[in-house]
Amino acid sequence: MVDGLTGVGAGVGAKLAPLEIPVTRTLIVSGAIASRDYQDVHHDAELAKEKGSPDIFMNILTTNGLVGRYITDHFGPASVLRKVAIRLGAPNYPGDTMVLTGTVTEVEDGSGASGGGGATVVVRIIGVNGLGTHVTGTMTVTLPSLASPANPTSTPSRPSASGRPA
């Protein structure tokens, strides 16, 4: 059920659908390159092993991008990430799967002093892999106002597989 004021399903305590992300060698290396993190532990397995790691591993910037994607996939393309606070734990190695889950911990309806905006939502994020907890943190996201001209519908839409609202 979607709250008509905030557009948030069930409000505080609502669980976001899990997202399974296969951790591939390509994902790790491309994420490191895209974020200009040229540390050898993110692309060279032999040098990573020389430094005590069993293989290359994902960098924090790639994880940051993946948790951001998780939130905007859930709340839609018009949502805006306002704050990202994450902490890494167990490394993401190739061949594993990271499962992201989230729980809504706060909802502000947007009608406060700043007025006119959509809801602001805080989501507690956890990402686990075969070794344990890879990432924990909170994400603060502002949703578009349901009454705004840019969003004339009464409920938020989720993107379809094509990336367009369903």
Side-chain angles (χ1 to χ4, degrees):
M1 176 176 197
V2 175
D3 181 300
L5 180 62
T6 64
V8 177
V12 173
K15 305 280 187 201
L16 280 61
L19 175 63
E20 291 188 10
I21 300 171
V23 180
T24 65
R25 192 167 298 280
T26 300
L27 174 63
I28 293 170
V29 174
S30 61
I33 291 169
S35 60
R36 295 181 170 184
D37 183 346
Y38 303 117
Q39 294 291 318
D40 50 23
V41 294
H42 303 307
H43 65 86
D44 188 317
E46 291 307 313
L47 289 175
K49 288 175 185 174
E50 285 178 21
K51 293 182 177 182
S53 178
D55 205 339
I56 62 171
F57 55 90
M58 186 177 288
N59 71 357
I60 192 169
L61 296 171
T62 303
T63 299
N64 199 45
L66 292 170
V67 296
R69 167 195 162 196
Y70 177 57
I71 294 297
T72 59
D73 278 1
H74 179 80
F75 290 108
S79 59
V80 178
L81 295 175
R82 298 294 180 186
K83 182 178 179 185
V84 177
I86 63 169
R87 179 180 201 126
L88 292 184
N92 266 339
Y93 291 117
D96 208 341
T97 298
M98 178 173 63
V99 179
L100 292 170
T101 57
T103 304
V104 174
T105 60
E106 296 177 42
V107 177
E108 181 183 313
D109 70 15
S111 63
S114 59
T120 298
V121 180
V122 178
V123 180
R124 175 84 177 138
I125 299 288
I126 298 174
V128 298
N129 61 29
L131 297 174
T133 301
H134 171 67
V135 62
T136 58
T138 57
M139 308 283 286
T140 303
V141 59
T142 301
L143 309 179
S145 171
L146 295 179
S148 73
N151 188 8
T153 62
S154 61
T155 59
S157 60
R158 293 195 53 156
S160 66
S162 70
R164 295 188 177 104

